[in-house]
């Protein structure tokens, strides 16, 4: 049991497997083990590893507790995009009394839906769609909330349909209107904040919505993914690439230029814009797209 739980046991588990109270006390007095709160024991005298701290948090709050939000997504293989992911997030029933450990953030909820929980080598965690929605809804900024949804879909963790279903059963959450609008755009192919902004700009200025994340072969036969693409009546293609800050990196920049050459050779026009421009100066992008012949609705 200790191996399964990474060297962490609840005191009730110790009694269940026959460890006498005096034996446990001797181990603690000899500083071989460490007590975490009144309920949990760590079978080492050093600070816990990250996974051990996850077990400590879950066992202390048992029997009904699960890792959630960024921590649940971490166990699912999600690449973190927020500083909040450094903390361990725990979901418990509203009104629960749990020990407040450093590095652990406790969230209370009336909608636990235990039947939807999953496990990672014994650790209870909320299912992926619910984890994404929680991570998004617990953010103060709606744009970051929308980015969480886009990142989860881009990393193939959830589908827009699964996220929409999760949004329907979590009850009242922050940014719900923004999240629903973002899911509609993500379902249409938007995978970043810049692409979500472009979708909103097209609706506002009555431009034909673009095809998004189009996969095309370049002249060397390699697959290239394009952010936004419009087919013109002339048979040519207009591509709008939205560059976030990572595109300024030398390796990214070189890959972008190579991809752009391949598009131009295949009778396409490539326009580039920064994510900030798509957000704060969209009228300039609209003017250029219209000048290139992108039709209106």
């Amino acid at each position: 049991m200790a191996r399964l739980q990474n060297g962490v046991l609840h005191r009730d588990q110790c009694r269940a497997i026959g460890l006498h109270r005096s034996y446990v006390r001797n181990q603690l007095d000899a500083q071989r083990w460490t007590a975490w709160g009144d309920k949990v024991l760590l079978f080492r005298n050093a600070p816990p590893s990250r996974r051990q701290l996850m077990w400590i948090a879950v066992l202390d709050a048992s029997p009904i507790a699960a890792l959630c939000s960024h921590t649940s997504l971490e166990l699912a293989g999600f690449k973190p995009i927020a500083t909040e992911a450094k903390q361990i997030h725990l979901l418990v029933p509203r009104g629960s009394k749990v020990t407040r450990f450093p590095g652990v953030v406790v969230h209370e909820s009336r909608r636990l839906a235990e039947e939807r929980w999953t496990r990672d080598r014994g650790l209870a965690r909320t299912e992926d769609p619910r984890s994404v929605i929680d991570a998004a809804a617990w953010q103060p900024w709606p744009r970051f909330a929308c980015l969480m949804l886009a990142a989860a879909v881009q990393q193939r963790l959830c589908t827009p349909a699964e996220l929409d279903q999760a949004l329907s059963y979590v009850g009242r959450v922050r940014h719900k209107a923004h999240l629903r609008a973002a899911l509609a755009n993500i379902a249409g192919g938007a995978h970043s904040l810049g692409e979500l902004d472009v979708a909103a700009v097209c609706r506002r200025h009555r431009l034909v919505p673009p095809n998004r994340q189009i996969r095309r072969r370049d002249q060397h036969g390699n697959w290239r993914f394009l952010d936004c693409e419009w087919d013109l009546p002339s048979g040519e293609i207009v591509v709008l690439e939205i560059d976030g800050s990572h595109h300024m990196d030398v390796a990214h920049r070189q890959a972008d230029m190579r991809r752009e050459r391949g598009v131009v050779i295949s009778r396409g026009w490539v326009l580039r814009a920064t994510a900030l421009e798509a957000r704060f100066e969209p009228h300039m992008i609209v003017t250029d797209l219209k000048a290139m012949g992108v039709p209106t609705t």
Side-chain angles (χ1 to χ4, degrees):
M1 186 181 294
R3 284 196 297 270
L4 173 65
Q5 297 178 181
N6 295 93
V8 181
L9 286 184
H10 193 282
R11 287 181 183 267
D12 288 346
Q13 292 177 322
C14 291
R15 287 191 286 270
I17 61 177
L19 291 181
H20 196 272
R21 187 176 301 176
S22 61
Y23 177 80
V24 172
R25 185 171 56 250
N26 289 338
Q27 297 298 319
L28 292 173
D29 291 343
Q31 298 184 351
R32 300 187 188 94
W33 297 356
T34 310
W36 280 76
D38 297 328
K39 306 174 185 177
V40 182
L41 300 171
L42 173 63
F43 287 10
R44 60 186 288 183
N45 58 3
S49 67
R50 182 168 179 82
R51 192 167 181 92
Q52 286 173 332
L53 186 55
M54 292 180 188
W55 273 110
I56 289 171
V58 169
L59 290 176
D60 176 82
S62 62
I64 303 176
L67 299 172
C68 63
S69 185
H70 298 282
T71 309
S72 176
L73 296 177
E74 174 188 335
L75 296 178
F78 183 75
K79 296 179 181 178
I81 60 173
T83 56
E84 290 88 349
K86 296 179 181 178
Q87 300 169 310
I88 290 174
H89 295 262
L90 183 72
L91 188 68
V92 299
R94 185 171 294 278
S96 297
K97 294 182 179 180
V98 299
T99 308
R100 301 288 174 164
F101 297 117
V104 178
V105 180
V106 178
H107 305 273
E108 298 183 1
S109 175
R110 292 190 179 94
R111 295 175 178 264
L112 294 182
E114 292 180 68
E115 68 277 4
R116 298 179 182 271
W117 291 357
T118 184
R119 290 187 177 272
D120 182 277
R121 288 178 289 169
L123 274 172
R125 67 178 185 88
T126 54
E127 63 174 351
D128 295 344
R130 168 71 187 270
S131 302
V132 174
I133 296 299
D134 285 344
W138 294 339
Q139 293 295 323
W141 308 110
R143 276 178 58 75
F144 182 83
C146 295
L147 176 60
M148 279 297 305
L149 304 190
V153 174
Q154 188 177 43
Q155 295 187 31
R156 305 293 190 268
L157 199 65
C158 308
T159 66
E162 290 170 336
L163 291 172
D164 186 64
Q165 183 182 19
L167 196 59
S168 67
Y169 71 72
V170 295
R172 297 178 61 184
V173 296
R174 186 188 294 176
H175 314 310
K176 197 165 191 175
H178 291 90
L179 296 179
R180 287 205 179 280
L183 280 175
N185 287 323
I186 293 168
H191 285 74
S192 68
L193 276 181
E195 291 176 70
L196 293 176
D197 287 334
V198 168
V201 168
C202 289
R203 288 195 304 271
R204 191 179 310 125
H205 294 272
R206 301 183 64 82
L207 284 177
V208 170
N211 302 313
R212 287 173 290 210
Q213 288 294 309
I214 296 299
R215 190 176 71 156
R216 293 190 181 278
R217 288 190 185 274
D218 61 17
Q219 73 275 21
H220 302 295
N222 298 318
W223 287 110
R224 305 295 183 190
F225 287 86
L226 309 177
D227 288 347
C228 302
E229 175 184 300
W230 289 266
D231 294 313
L232 302 183
S234 63
E236 293 182 315
I237 299 168
V238 170
V239 174
L240 177 63
E241 292 283 79
I242 307 298
D243 294 346
S245 59
H246 64 282
H247 286 270
M248 297 300 105
D249 176 77
V250 173
H252 273 287
R253 192 63 182 166
Q254 179 173 305
D256 289 342
M257 289 188 290
R258 185 180 298 118
R259 179 173 59 176
E260 185 172 321
R261 291 197 303 270
V263 173
V264 171
I265 291 173
S266 62
R267 291 175 57 80
W269 299 92
V270 179
L271 304 181
R272 308 197 74 89
T274 65
L276 289 176
E277 186 179 15
R279 176 62 176 170
F280 298 110
E281 296 181 327
H283 59 282
M284 301 294 294
I285 300 175
V286 171
T287 299
D288 293 339
L289 289 173
K290 288 182 177 179
M292 292 298 299
V294 172
T296 57
T297 57

